[in-house]
Amino acid sequence: MKPWNLTRIRPAIGVVVDDRRIAMSVVASTPRRRREIAQDVRECQGEALDVVLKRMLAPWVDGADGKPRRRKIWVQVGIPENQVFQASVPMSVANRNLSAQSLFPEAVQATNLRAEDHVFDLKKIDVARRSLSIISACRREVVTGMIDAFGQAGAQIAAAEPAPTALLRLALQQRRTSRSVTLCMRFFLGPRRALALMSFGPYPLFWQVFDLPAGGEEEAVRSAYSTLWLLWRRHGVKVAIGAVHLHGRPDLALSAQREAFQKQAGAEVIRSPGPDYDLVSIARGIAMADPLLEDVELDLARRFRPAVPIREIFPWTEACLQGVLIAGVSLFLYAAAADVQTSLRHAKTQSAAFLWMGDDQQAKLDAEMKGLEEQITFASGFSKSRIAWTSQLRTIAADTPEGTTISMLAGDADVEIHGAATKSKEKKQLVVQFNTPLPDDGSIPPHIDKFLSTLREEPLVLQHFPNINVSGLQTGTAGKVKKITYRVDFLPKARAGPAKGS
C-alpha cells in the first residue's frame, strides 16, 4: 500500500531519537478522524544516525518509482528529556524584557553552562495575573546534528520539541479536562521509569524523571508529587492544582491508597489508560502537531527551519473540496434557473391570448374580482349554515310512535354570511305539533316520554337543534277517540330557553 494517497490527508511524521533506539509515528487525517496510520521502532546498533533514518524514512522519502523525491519531506523531531533543560521563571520589572538567552543563567543558576552553547525557545504566559516565562534549552550540537542527519536521509526538520511536550499534547487530545482546570500535575508511567510534569494548559512548566520500582510504584509517584509541588511553591503563584492525572500502565492498581493520595494532593485524581511513557507514544504526540500551519508550544529548531514554500502549506485538499461544493451548488442553481425560465415562457404564452386587456381595464377587473369574492362568500356561508330539512323530517318521522300524527309543521333557518359587513341576528327553529291517541282511562301513554327522549339523542337533530322543548299539552276528542296535543320546539343553543312542559 502506498504511504501517500487521497484517503490520508496531510500525513505528519514524528520521530524521536534516543541513545539506542529511534521511534517513528505517522499521523494523517482520514475520513473518520486524525489518527496514526503507521509506526516503526528500530535499534541503532552502532550504526550512524543518518543511515538508520534513511532506512526508516525510505517509504516516505522515495516516490512511486523508487527514486527520491525532488522536495525533502518535513519531519517533526522530539528531543529526549535528558537532553533538554526546562524551567519557568517568574517575571519582574527587572527581567521582563530580557531574552531567553539572558534569562538562561538565572534559570540554571550554575556557572559551568554557557548560554552560547545552547539553543533556546521562550514562551510567556499569565497564571493568576502573574507572568511566567517558560524557557526550553538544548545543546546546539544536538539540534544541529539532528538537522544534518535528517538532511542526509532526505528530510528537513519542521520542529524540534521536548519529548514531555509531545506526551502532554497526546494526553490533552485523548482526554479533555474542564475549562476551569488550568494547572495540572501529570504522571506518565512506563515499564521501569516515569515522567512527572507540571502543566498549565498546553504548556509544560517543568518536569522530573523518576524510577518505578516493582511494588513501590505508588510511593514513587507520591514522592515525585511532593518534589514538583515544592518547585511550584518557589514561583510564588498562589494557584491550586486543579487535577492530578495518572497516565499509562493500566495493569498497576494504584487505587489501593487513592484516598490518601487524593487527600495529599487536594485535587481530583484521574486515572487514564494512556499515553504511556515510551518512545512510541512520544513520537505519536509529536506527529499530532502541525508546525507548518500552527505555532507549536516549544520549538528548539525554530531559528534553523528554512522558509516554508507556499505550495507546502496551501490547503490543496480543502480547496478541491470547496471547488466541488461550489460546482454542485452552481449546477443546482442553474437547474433551478432553467425551471424558472420554462415557467416564465409558459406564463407569457398563456398571457398572449389576453393582449386586448390593457392597463386601462385594471379597475374593471378589480371590481369584477371583488364581486366574485362576495358571491363566493355568500355561497360558502349558505353551504355551511343551511339545514337539510329532508333528513331532519325523516329522522323525526321514523321516531314518531305508531298512531301519532302531525297537525302542524313550521321551520325557519336564516342563511349565515360569514365575513359580511353587516350581520343580523340569525333565526333558526323547527316547530312540530303532534296528536297522540289516549287510552280509555285518559292517562298519558308512556311511549310519549320515550319518543321525546329518543329525539333528544338523535345526532342529526342535535347538530342544528341541541335543545328540544315541549309545550302546549292539551287533551281533546276527535270523534269518539280521545287524543292529546303537544308542541315540540327544536331550537339552537343560542336561543334555547327553559322548557314550558314535559
Side-chain angles (χ1 to χ4, degrees):
M1 180 181 294
K2 296 182 180 180
W4 309 94
N5 54 51
L6 293 177
T7 61
R8 299 169 179 178
I9 302 173
R10 288 190 179 277
I13 302 176
V15 179
V16 57
V17 181
D18 201 353
D19 296 335
R20 295 177 291 105
R21 295 182 302 165
I22 301 176
M24 181 186 70
S25 175
V26 182
V27 175
S29 298
T30 63
R32 296 181 58 186
R33 58 184 175 84
R34 188 166 178 81
R35 62 183 181 87
E36 185 181 55
I37 60 175
Q39 65 172 240
D40 191 8
V41 179
R42 302 198 181 191
E43 300 286 341
C44 293
Q45 297 178 354
E47 294 183 283
L49 179 60
D50 56 344
V51 175
V52 181
L53 288 175
K54 189 172 184 179
R55 189 165 53 247
M56 179 180 287
L57 297 175
W60 310 91
V61 173
D62 297 339
D65 54 356
K67 298 180 180 181
R69 296 175 178 270
R70 295 181 180 178
R71 299 189 301 268
K72 294 183 178 181
I73 63 172
W74 293 96
V75 178
Q76 297 147 218
V77 181
I79 303 177
E81 64 281 350
N82 57 0
Q83 298 180 5
V84 178
F85 172 81
Q86 180 90 2
S88 55
V89 180
M91 290 287 94
S92 61
V93 178
N95 62 6
R96 184 177 301 274
N97 297 323
L98 295 180
S99 63
Q101 188 172 1
S102 301
L103 286 173
F104 180 68
E106 179 182 349
V108 175
Q109 295 182 359
T111 59
N112 59 345
L113 295 177
R114 299 176 65 247
E116 293 78 5
D117 298 335
H118 294 75
V119 291
F120 305 91
D121 197 16
L122 177 67
K123 287 290 183 180
K124 294 183 179 181
I125 61 174
D126 293 329
V127 182
R129 300 181 180 178
R130 184 75 181 271
S131 297
L132 294 178
S133 289
I134 303 176
I135 302 175
S136 184
C138 180
R139 293 187 62 83
R140 182 183 298 271
E141 59 185 16
V142 174
V143 179
T144 55
M146 286 188 177
I147 294 176
D148 294 338
F150 278 94
Q152 293 294 330
Q156 50 190 351
I157 294 181
E161 59 180 359
T165 305
L167 285 176
L168 177 59
R169 180 185 301 112
L170 189 59
L172 290 175
Q173 291 184 357
Q174 289 183 358
R175 180 165 184 171
R176 297 289 182 180
T177 57
S178 175
R179 292 184 179 180
S180 61
V181 179
T182 54
L183 185 65
C184 297
M185 191 178 295
R186 298 178 182 271
F187 298 88
F188 300 93
L189 309 179
R192 291 179 298 272
R193 306 191 74 191
L195 173 71
L197 183 144
M198 182 75 77
S199 65
F200 183 79
Y203 301 103
L205 302 179
F206 45 84
W207 59 73
Q208 180 191 26
V209 179
F210 59 96
D211 295 330
L212 277 182
E217 292 87 354
E218 188 161 356
E219 288 74 10
V221 171
R222 293 178 62 180
S223 177
Y225 170 84
S226 301
T227 303
L228 261 66
W229 175 244
L230 291 176
L231 292 175
W232 174 245
R233 292 191 62 180
R234 292 179 54 189
H235 290 74
V237 182
K238 296 181 180 179
V239 176
I241 297 177
V244 177
H245 295 263
L246 301 175
H247 299 278
R249 293 291 301 276
D251 57 300
L252 293 180
L254 297 178
S255 58
Q257 301 180 6
R258 185 171 181 176
E259 294 182 359
F261 186 29
Q262 190 160 335
K263 184 177 180 180
Q264 176 188 1
E268 182 184 5
V269 179
I270 302 174
R271 190 74 168 91
S272 302
D276 294 343
Y277 178 55
D278 56 14
L279 289 183
V280 175
S281 298
I282 295 174
R284 186 182 305 118
I286 295 170
M288 287 294 181
D290 194 356
L292 297 181
L293 299 178
E294 300 176 357
D295 187 19
V296 297
E297 288 76 16
L298 295 169
D299 184 7
L300 295 172
R302 194 184 305 274
R303 57 178 298 185
F304 301 103
R305 186 175 69 184
V308 182
I310 188 63
R311 64 176 178 271
E312 299 286 347
I313 60 176
F314 186 81
W316 299 103
T317 305
E318 291 81 354
C320 292
L321 292 177
Q322 294 291 340
V324 171
L325 290 176
I326 293 175
V329 174
S330 301
L331 289 176
F332 174 78
L333 294 178
Y334 179 79
D339 293 340
V340 172
Q341 290 292 337
T342 303
S343 301
L344 178 61
R345 287 194 297 268
H346 182 67
K348 288 182 177 180
T349 302
Q350 290 183 336
S351 61
F354 302 93
L355 294 178
W356 55 271
M357 299 176 61
D359 294 338
D360 56 341
Q361 301 290 332
Q362 187 62 40
K364 181 179 180 181
L365 292 176
D366 292 341
E368 292 180 357
M369 183 170 61
K370 184 177 180 180
L372 292 175
E373 290 177 350
E374 291 179 354
Q375 294 180 16
I376 293 173
T377 301
F378 278 97
S380 176
F382 174 76
S383 176
K384 292 181 180 179
S385 60
R386 68 181 294 273
I387 299 176
W389 293 109
T390 303
S391 301
Q392 297 282 336
L393 297 178
R394 286 180 178 175
T395 302
I396 296 173
D399 295 338
T400 301
E402 186 178 356
T404 300
T405 60
I406 297 175
S407 59
M408 188 270 290
L409 175 66
D412 295 317
D414 293 341
V415 177
E416 303 175 18
I417 305 302
H418 299 281
T422 59
K423 182 178 178 181
S424 60
K425 187 176 181 181
E426 64 182 85
K427 181 180 180 182
K428 183 186 296 185
Q429 67 176 359
L430 174 63
V431 179
V432 184
Q433 185 170 312
F434 296 93
N435 299 322
T436 302
L438 296 175
D440 296 337
D441 57 0
S443 62
I444 297 178
H447 57 264
I448 295 180
D449 291 336
K450 184 178 180 181
F451 166 56
L452 296 175
S453 299
T454 303
L455 289 178
R456 291 189 175 99
E457 296 176 356
E458 288 288 352
L460 187 61
V461 177
L462 297 178
Q463 180 181 358
H464 296 281
F465 305 108
N467 289 316
I468 300 175
N469 299 329
V470 182
S471 61
L473 289 172
Q474 295 180 357
T475 59
T477 58
K480 297 181 179 182
V481 180
K482 296 181 180 181
K483 66 175 182 177
I484 180 172
T485 303
Y486 51 93
R487 172 180 170 177
V488 179
D489 295 330
F490 298 84
L491 303 174
K493 185 176 182 180
R495 296 187 53 198
K500 299 181 181 180
S502 61

